[in-house]
Amino acid sequence: MGNSPSREAVCFGIELELTGIPHNVGVSPSKYLDYKRAGFRNLQSRMEKLGVKTIMDPVKSNGKFTKYPENYDQWNLQQDSSIKLGDEYAAISIEAVSRKFFVPDKDWMREIESFWQAFDEVFEQEKDNESCGSHVHVRPGGQGYDMEGLRSIAYAVVVYEKHVLEFLPEERRNHHYCQPNTEVSPKLKRIFRRGRSKASYDDLKDQIYDIDTPEELCTFMQGDQDGNRRVLWNFDNVCSGRIGTVEFRGGPVLHTPDRTIHWILFAVGFILLATQEDKLSTGNFSYVEPGTPLFRQRASELWARIRDCTGRRITQKWSLPYTYEAMNGHGSSSAAISDSEPDESEPEKSEPDESEPDESEPEESEPDDSEPDDAAHSYSDESD
C-alpha cells in the first residue's frame, strides 16, 4: 500500500513525562534551578555511560535555542511546564524524548531499558502523577505516509475509538490532553450528532474518501483550533513541513521498561494494523454498545489482531500482554509482563472473519501554553 508502514520501514519515538526526587546532586532544593539542572546533568551523564547518546537544551545549527532537537538522532532531556508537581518540594519534572527508532533496529529495547536503569539510579520516582503521560510517534521510515494510508488510519481511529478507550487506564480515557477525536472534531461530532447508525458510518466513509491532503485530514480528525492537538490520535504532524508522524497521546505515566515497551508496541501495532487491514475499503461497521458481551468480544478480537501484528512485524522478543485488561491494569499483573505465548489452557486468539462485517464501533469520544520556537521539528507541538 504505497508508503504505508512495513516491517522494514517503521520509524517511531516516545516522549516520557516524569517526576522524581534526584539523589545526591550536591545542591540544596532551596536553590531550585541549580538543583533541577544538577538532576538533569546527572541523568544525562548516567545515560551516556550506559551508551545512550543524550543532550539537554539543544541548540539548532543556526545557534538559536530550542527545546526540540533537529534530527532526533539522540535522546533529549527537557523541561515540561505542563507537569504538575505535588507538595514535595524536592521533586522535579522532566520530559525525556527518545531518539528516532527504526524497525528492524534491535537497539531500541535496550535503550529503553538503559534509560530506566539510569533514571532509577539518579531519581526516586514519584508515582501516579496524573498530569504526566506518554506519547508515541509513528511514521513510515521512507517518504512518509501516503493519503491512502492516512485515510485508513483515520477511519480506524474513529471506528475503534471506544475499544481503544477500553484499553487505556481509566485516568487516560477522557484526559484533558488526550480527548477522543470524535469529541473534539466539529466534523466528526456532526457526523454522529444523531448517534451511531449505518447512515452515519456511510457518511464517515464518504467524507474520508473525499479528503485529498494531510492538512484536510488533520482538520477533519481534530478541527483547526489552537489546542486541538490534545486529542487521543494527533494528526497535526503529518501536515506539510512537519515531522510526518501520527501521535498516540493516550499512554499513561510510565515507570518501567516493560510498560514503556508495551505502550510503544500498542501504538505502532495499531497503526500497522490499520494500514494492513484497510477497513475503509474492506470493512462494514455496525454500532455495538460498550459494556455488552459483544462489545467485549470485539475489543478482545481487536486486541488479539494488534498483538499478533506486533509479534509478526515489529519484534519476536517482546509481546503485548495477552489481554487488554492486563494492559490497562485490570488484569493479572503477571500477564502484563509476559513475553511468552499463552499456554494451552488459555483460549486461542480469535481471528477476524473477513467474510463478515466487523461490528466494532466508532467512538465517542495546558499545560504548556507557550508554542515551541520551531514546532515543525518537534515530536509533538505541545506537551501533555
Side-chain angles (χ1 to χ4, degrees):
M1 180 188 293
N3 292 321
S4 298
S6 69
R7 180 177 173 81
E8 291 73 25
V10 182
C11 173
F12 56 91
I14 189 167
E15 302 165 358
L16 298 166
E17 297 170 341
L18 305 164
T19 58
I21 301 172
H23 301 301
N24 306 319
V25 294
V27 180
S28 170
S30 63
K31 299 179 179 179
Y32 191 71
L33 292 180
D34 291 339
Y35 171 78
K36 184 172 185 175
R37 191 78 174 170
F40 273 58
R41 281 197 301 267
N42 285 359
L43 179 57
Q44 179 190 27
S45 174
R46 187 62 188 133
M47 290 176 69
E48 291 276 358
K49 287 179 180 178
L50 291 172
V52 181
K53 292 179 61 179
T54 309
I55 58 173
M56 299 188 306
D57 299 335
V59 177
K60 295 169 62 178
S61 56
N62 64 5
K64 186 178 179 181
F65 170 82
T66 175
K67 68 179 280 190
Y68 301 107
E70 285 189 272
N71 300 314
Y72 291 97
D73 57 355
Q74 52 197 325
W75 284 68
N76 176 32
L77 307 178
Q78 59 194 34
Q79 300 184 56
D80 185 345
S81 62
S82 75
I83 298 173
K84 301 292 193 300
L85 296 175
D87 296 333
E88 177 54 69
Y89 181 65
I92 68 174
S93 62
I94 186 168
E95 181 175 19
V97 180
S98 78
R99 70 172 177 92
K100 291 182 293 188
F101 298 118
F102 292 88
V103 170
D105 179 358
K106 300 299 183 184
D107 290 335
W108 71 274
M109 288 180 285
R110 179 193 65 80
E111 287 195 22
I112 296 295
E113 292 167 337
S114 295
F115 167 79
W116 281 112
Q117 179 183 340
F119 192 86
D120 286 338
E121 289 175 2
V122 174
F123 291 93
E124 177 185 345
Q125 291 191 44
E126 280 201 324
K127 305 289 187 179
D128 303 323
N129 185 327
E130 293 186 4
S131 71
C132 295
S134 53
H135 307 159
V136 181
H137 292 253
V138 187
R139 69 169 175 83
Q143 298 300 311
Y145 293 105
D146 57 23
M147 282 307 302
E148 184 181 5
L150 285 175
R151 292 188 197 101
S152 294
I153 295 167
Y155 187 66
V157 163
V158 176
V159 299
Y160 290 134
E161 188 177 72
K162 282 285 195 295
H163 298 101
V164 171
L165 291 174
E166 190 78 5
F167 300 160
L168 303 184
E170 290 184 8
E171 69 271 13
R172 299 298 286 183
R173 292 180 183 177
N174 197 19
H175 195 282
H176 179 64
Y177 290 102
C178 56
Q179 299 174 74
N181 291 69
T182 59
E183 296 182 8
V184 173
S185 162
K187 293 188 177 182
L188 291 176
K189 287 194 286 187
R190 192 175 304 119
I191 288 173
F192 297 112
R193 66 191 181 278
R194 294 189 177 91
R196 273 51 176 169
S197 65
K198 183 180 186 303
S200 63
Y201 289 137
D202 289 344
D203 190 13
L204 174 68
K205 276 192 173 186
D206 291 343
Q207 292 199 39
I208 289 180
Y209 272 127
D210 286 342
I211 295 173
D212 295 322
T213 68
E215 289 76 13
E216 290 176 21
L217 183 131
C218 179
T219 299
F220 180 81
M221 291 300 295
Q222 58 207 68
D224 56 5
Q225 300 299 311
D226 183 46
N228 281 4
R229 289 172 296 232
R230 300 168 185 165
V231 286
L232 190 56
W233 297 92
N234 174 26
F235 289 80
D236 189 68
N237 284 315
V238 301
C239 296
S240 177
R242 300 189 183 275
I243 59 172
T245 63
V246 174
E247 178 190 16
F248 171 68
R249 296 175 57 85
V253 58
L254 300 171
H255 301 290
T256 67
D258 292 356
R259 295 280 288 167
T260 304
I261 290 170
H262 285 157
W263 283 102
I264 290 172
L265 291 177
F266 167 73
V268 177
F270 181 91
I271 287 177
L272 287 171
L273 185 71
T275 55
Q276 172 186 296
E277 292 189 337
D278 187 20
K279 291 293 187 181
L280 179 63
S281 301
T282 63
N284 294 308
F285 290 84
S286 58
Y287 182 70
V288 178
E289 188 69 30
T292 63
L294 182 56
F295 175 84
R296 290 189 289 271
Q297 175 187 331
R298 296 302 188 189
S300 295
E301 290 171 353
L302 174 62
W303 183 259
R305 299 202 305 277
I306 294 171
R307 188 176 186 272
D308 181 63
C309 189
T310 62
R312 289 185 295 103
R313 299 182 63 181
I314 303 175
T315 174
Q316 298 297 326
K317 177 181 177 182
W318 288 80
S319 65
L320 286 168
Y322 187 64
T323 68
Y324 67 82
E325 291 90 349
M327 183 74 163
N328 67 21
H330 292 163
S332 165
S333 59
S334 61
I337 58 173
S338 172
D339 299 335
S340 60
E341 290 299 312
D343 61 36
E344 292 180 349
S345 64
E346 294 178 280
E348 295 184 358
K349 294 181 290 186
S350 301
E351 292 298 327
D353 183 355
E354 298 298 333
S355 64
E356 294 295 326
D358 190 326
E359 293 183 355
S360 341
E361 73 187 37
E363 309 7 77
E364 295 271 279
S365 72
E366 348 227 28
D368 189 352
D369 293 325
S370 60
E371 290 296 318
D373 292 326
D374 186 358
H377 288 91
S378 68
Y379 264 148
S380 67
D381 300 329
E382 182 166 47
S383 295
D384 192 22

